[in-house]
Amino acid sequence: MKTKDLTTMAILTALAFALSWVERLIPLEMIIPLPGVKLGLANTVTLFALYRLSLPAALLILTARCLLSALFSGNMTGLAFSLAGGLLSMLVMAAAKRSRHLSVYGVSVLGAAGHNCGQILTAMLLMHSAYIWGYLPYLLLIGTACGAATGAVSAGVLRALGGRARSAA
Amino acid sequence: MKKEHDGLTFQRGDAVAIAAVVTAALVMIALLLIPSGGNGRVIARIYQDGEVIRELRLEENTEITVEGAYRNTISVRDGKIAFTHSDCPGEDCVHSGWISAPGRSAVCLPNRVEIRLEGEADTDDVDAVVQ
């Protein structure tokens, strides 16, 4: 691994961690009382890594961010949720990105949907209950709105930074 | 001239993807809202780790506490039920508010406690006997 790649990934991990931390200050669940509702700002970093670096790099950044968040919050149940959601989301986004008919907006929305499904699956496993899927449609609706918003942010960031992250030697 | 696909501009495919997710969500909500039959009376089952630990009737006001990794207080008031207090982090369960319709549920994930509102089956229930 080149030192430059390592540094870029370290910076992106720090940024993703900071964003997921800042996000807690926005009390979205006070307005929409569903467990697990959040903006998903850190997903802009994941999208950036997926578009400008590579899938393995994006996976490493995501895993490191989830572990850091769990360490700092001491919430190990949360780790299962964020990892399951994050990994399923990554899988969906990597597949969706291959489609020529989808831009970063669609990739982000489908990624959010993947994240919601991962969270619900984890909850069903943890609670030994299939009943929880009743939350899924509501999470999907909110996730679509948040996914489109983070998609717009990502499009802006990717456009502003152009090909620099990759081409600068 | 055909515009080059840069992956950053909103496309028709994105609209299709959004519509698909929203439609799926709406279909699920419609399925959830279909009443499951029964005699209209709602019973609240309290689950912990997937097992029923209490059954509460919404007709009687009451308050119970559930111990686990954390302590939840569950209250029944005027035909509605809610987590009214919890010492879990986040307190999402308390923010879920009061529920009363069959099919609804409220959960406290940290404590693995779930309130499920289920319609009471009327098969083995006799309303009145006339002689």
Side-chain angles (χ1 to χ4, degrees):
Chain A
M1 191 185 288
K2 279 195 300 187
T3 317
K4 185 180 179 322
D5 292 342
L6 190 66
T7 336
T8 312
M9 282 161 63
I11 293 171
L12 287 178
T13 305
L15 183 61
F17 175 56
L19 282 176
S20 66
W21 195 260
V22 164
E23 196 168 66
R24 285 179 211 194
L25 303 177
I26 307 166
L28 202 61
E29 74 274 5
M30 294 291 270
I31 310 161
I32 309 152
L34 282 174
V37 167
K38 55 179 183 170
L39 265 174
L41 282 176
N43 200 38
T44 53
V45 175
T46 307
L47 279 167
F48 182 84
L50 206 54
Y51 273 76
R52 287 282 182 266
L53 303 175
S54 62
L55 177 60
L59 271 173
L60 274 173
I61 294 167
L62 173 84
T63 315
R65 188 246 297 171
C66 291
L67 287 173
L68 278 175
S69 292
L71 271 178
F72 275 76
S73 67
N75 186 351
M76 286 301 146
T77 318
L79 178 64
F81 281 92
S82 58
L83 267 184
L87 291 178
L88 196 59
S89 165
M90 180 71 80
L91 206 73
V92 171
M93 291 197 295
K97 186 175 165 285
R98 299 174 71 97
S99 165
R100 282 180 49 250
H101 302 287
L102 291 174
S103 73
V104 67
Y105 288 90
V107 172
S108 176
V109 166
L110 291 176
H115 195 277
N116 295 148
C117 293
Q119 279 180 311
I120 291 290
L121 281 173
T122 316
M124 280 163 70
L125 285 175
L126 280 179
M127 309 269 299
H128 309 287
S129 159
Y131 219 75
I132 299 186
W133 80 270
Y135 280 104
L136 184 56
Y138 304 100
L139 283 182
L140 281 177
L141 289 179
I142 300 155
T144 302
C146 295
T150 51
V153 173
S154 304
V157 170
L158 287 165
R159 203 169 265 140
L161 293 182
R164 243 183 296 167
R166 203 204 313 233
S167 62
Chain B
M1 197 175 79
K2 198 167 177 290
K3 212 178 146 218
E4 202 194 332
H5 173 46
D6 61 355
L8 302 180
T9 318
F10 194 88
Q11 297 200 4
R12 196 181 296 160
D14 297 323
V16 174
I18 291 173
V21 176
V22 170
T23 311
L26 292 179
V27 168
M28 281 187 242
I29 291 175
L31 285 176
L32 286 167
L33 290 180
I34 294 172
S36 52
N39 57 10
R41 242 182 293 171
V42 182
I43 193 158
R45 294 205 169 88
I46 318 294
Y47 289 76
Q48 191 168 30
D49 285 315
E51 303 199 0
V52 183
I53 52 165
R54 286 292 288 272
E55 287 192 347
L56 300 174
R57 300 198 158 276
L58 295 193
E59 290 88 56
E60 305 152 31
N61 292 355
T62 174
E63 191 170 279
I64 64 162
T65 53
V66 179
E67 302 280 351
Y70 300 95
R71 179 199 294 245
N72 301 134
T73 306
I74 296 171
S75 305
V76 176
R77 222 173 285 159
D78 306 322
K80 290 176 293 195
I81 188 164
F83 285 99
T84 42
H85 186 264
S86 175
D87 56 8
C88 64
E91 291 181 59
D92 285 328
C93 51
V94 177
H95 296 146
S96 303
W98 296 87
I99 53 172
S100 58
R104 291 288 307 275
S105 75
V107 289
C108 178
L109 285 174
N111 211 19
R112 299 191 185 177
V113 171
E114 181 182 9
I115 306 173
R116 280 186 215 171
L117 295 182
E118 296 169 12
E120 197 175 43
D122 56 359
T123 43
D124 52 357
D125 205 31
V126 180
D127 285 335
V129 176
V130 180
Q131 288 191 317

